[in-house]
Amino acid sequence: MSFWNYFWLVVEIFFFFAYLVVLFMIITDLFRDHKLSGWWKAVWVICLIIFPLITALVYVIARGNGMTQRQIASQQQAKAATDSYIRNVAGASAADQIATAKQLLDSGAIDQAEFDKLKAAALA
């Protein structure tokens, strides 16, 4: 094979993976959108199977702004959940942290050395 054959192979593989990324983003967005009925979701999926490139292009053009808004909302929800979890763990008293670590030790999820580390961190 010549250099150009390898070059075009790399270009084709790149575009194939780029298409797969777009396809999975579209499918994820379809199922994230609660305002769209199940029938319309099915129509979009069927069109993606029958006319993949045209449907993907039409979807991104027609619903691209909504995709962005749903992605941002999803990220904000995940951040809020993470922040809430961190506040709950960080805001817990040393006694609560030690009690949680003791429960983990008793259940077998952690060993004595890990319990001692958690206890030392809670008391620090």
Side-chain angles (χ1 to χ4, degrees):
M1 290 181 76
S2 71
F3 167 77
W4 291 108
N5 288 341
Y6 285 116
F7 175 77
W8 288 115
L9 179 65
V10 168
V11 169
E12 289 173 2
I13 290 171
F14 171 79
F15 281 112
F16 176 72
F17 281 113
Y19 169 72
L20 287 179
V21 168
V22 169
L23 180 70
F24 287 119
M25 287 178 63
I26 289 171
I27 291 172
T28 301
D29 182 65
L30 274 173
F31 291 103
R32 183 180 287 150
D33 188 3
H34 299 291
K35 295 178 184 174
L36 194 63
S37 73
W39 289 105
W40 279 112
K41 290 177 185 181
V43 168
W44 277 112
V45 170
I46 289 169
C47 288
L48 278 169
I49 292 170
I50 296 173
F51 307 109
L53 292 174
I54 294 171
T55 305
L57 188 61
V58 168
Y59 189 90
V60 170
I61 291 169
R63 297 179 48 89
N65 192 29
M67 286 178 73
T68 303
Q69 293 170 352
R70 285 183 289 279
Q71 181 70 22
I72 290 170
S74 174
Q75 290 175 351
Q76 287 173 343
Q77 183 181 7
K79 184 180 181 330
T82 302
D83 291 345
S84 173
Y85 175 78
I86 291 170
R87 274 193 306 275
N88 289 341
V89 171
S93 68
D96 292 338
Q97 291 177 5
I98 293 171
T100 303
K102 180 65 173 156
Q103 289 174 348
L104 291 172
L105 177 64
D106 293 341
S107 70
I110 61 173
D111 60 10
Q112 185 64 41
E114 291 171 315
F115 172 76
D116 292 339
K117 286 181 189 176
L118 290 173
K119 184 177 176 183
L123 295 174

